[in-house]
Amino acid sequence: EDKVVQSPLSLVVHEGDTVTLNCSYEVTNFRSLLWYKQEKKAPTFLFMLTSSGIEKKSGRLSSILDKKELFSILNITATQTGDSAVYLCAVEPLDNTDKLIFGTGTRLQVFP
Amino acid sequence: DVKVTQSSRYLVKRTGEKVFLECVQDMDHENMFWYRQDPGLGLRLIYFSYDVKMKEKGDIPEGYSVSREKKERFSLILESASTNQTSMYLCASSWITGATEAFFGQGTRLTVV
């Protein structure tokens, strides 16, 4: 059965810390891996990763995919209180249904 | 900007009621999805649709049905609401091929009492 596992489940840090969120997956016929940030209600898209070893970067956030070891990490440097959210990882299998398989998320709390 | 709009932010319904959750997207996306989100379980797919009048079951379709009469609108129906359907419901849409970034609505918090 396809599955996506995120760790840690929860993380509490102080502003300025750097955090690394992990996402591992067991999905047959992998197409892409996506990271979302969820604050309050709806997830918002962060990154899509399809190729191994290529880092995607947006400001203080960056992500990389390892297709050999079947995992991805999301790094946030110099964290701010506004980074507090649930971070969701999702994998898209390579079939024609375009269904995403989500992990349970990592809850990040950043305190001043 | 892509907009996915869910009709209600909060709903409180009684056990046994028929409940309609509506979702509208304005980007002409072929795919639309309904998820529910529960603590510790993440997002779970209920149903999805890849075209008008087409639908497929997701991982947890029991107790739900869907309707897609127009491309921009995807409705989730709880035929007879039960307390275990109390949850956050999220609608999403995406293109059918290529980049499959999904755009999400703001969610509907449904409480069944």
Side-chain angles (χ1 to χ4, degrees):
Chain A
E1 184 184 340
D2 293 338
K3 65 179 180 180
V4 176
V5 178
Q6 291 185 246
S7 64
L9 290 180
S10 183
L11 197 51
V12 180
V13 300
H14 287 288
E15 273 191 318
D17 288 350
T18 293
V19 298
T20 298
L21 310 183
N22 303 290
C23 175
S24 63
Y25 59 92
E26 293 176 21
V27 175
T28 53
N29 300 320
F30 170 93
R31 177 191 287 191
S32 65
L33 185 145
L34 301 96
W35 283 98
Y36 289 88
K37 177 184 181 183
Q38 183 171 9
E39 299 170 275
K40 297 182 182 177
K41 291 276 165 51
T44 53
F45 172 77
L46 294 175
F47 299 111
M48 174 184 281
L49 304 156
T50 55
S51 301
S52 217
I54 298 176
E55 186 182 51
K56 291 271 182 101
K57 202 168 170 63
S58 176
R60 296 176 294 103
L61 277 66
S62 63
S63 185
I64 197 160
L65 174 67
D66 186 328
K67 289 169 79 171
K68 184 179 176 186
E69 300 297 330
L70 307 183
F71 77 90
S72 173
I73 58 172
L74 175 68
N75 275 323
I76 309 175
T77 58
T79 52
Q80 302 171 358
T81 54
D83 295 327
S84 297
V86 173
Y87 290 84
L88 292 165
C89 172
V91 171
E92 183 201 9
L94 188 65
D95 60 24
N96 60 2
T97 64
D98 293 318
K99 290 190 293 184
L100 298 177
I101 303 164
F102 282 88
T104 55
T106 294
R107 179 173 296 281
L108 173 65
Q109 292 177 275
V110 182
F111 288 101
Chain B
D1 280 352
V2 174
K3 202 164 184 181
V4 180
T5 304
Q6 293 181 230
S7 53
S8 304
R9 296 287 292 272
Y10 300 95
L11 274 180
V12 180
K13 296 291 181 180
R14 293 192 182 280
T15 301
E17 277 193 78
K18 191 168 185 176
V19 181
F20 292 86
L21 302 183
E22 306 286 346
C23 176
V24 177
Q25 50 96 2
D26 65 359
M27 275 300 289
D28 205 34
H29 285 163
E30 291 89 355
N31 289 342
M32 295 188 76
F33 309 84
W34 274 107
Y35 296 90
R36 62 177 283 177
Q37 184 170 15
D38 301 287
L41 297 175
L43 282 173
R44 292 180 293 167
L45 181 65
I46 305 171
Y47 267 98
F48 73 100
S49 168
Y50 51 89
D51 202 352
V52 175
K53 296 192 187 294
M54 306 302 287
K55 61 186 179 184
E56 285 202 22
K57 293 179 181 179
D59 301 316
I60 51 163
E62 296 79 18
Y64 303 94
S65 62
V66 289
S67 171
R68 192 156 180 212
E69 297 297 317
K70 293 185 179 180
K71 193 174 185 181
E72 66 270 20
R73 186 180 296 271
F74 192 34
S75 303
L76 179 69
I77 303 156
L78 287 67
E79 297 290 341
S80 177
S82 63
T83 54
N84 64 11
Q85 291 178 310
T86 292
S87 186
M88 168 68 76
Y89 290 88
L90 286 166
C91 173
S93 70
S94 72
W95 301 110
I96 198 164
T97 57
T100 53
E101 171 190 353
F103 296 86
F104 286 83
Q106 288 302 297
T108 297
R109 168 71 64 187
L110 172 67
T111 303
V112 182
V113 298

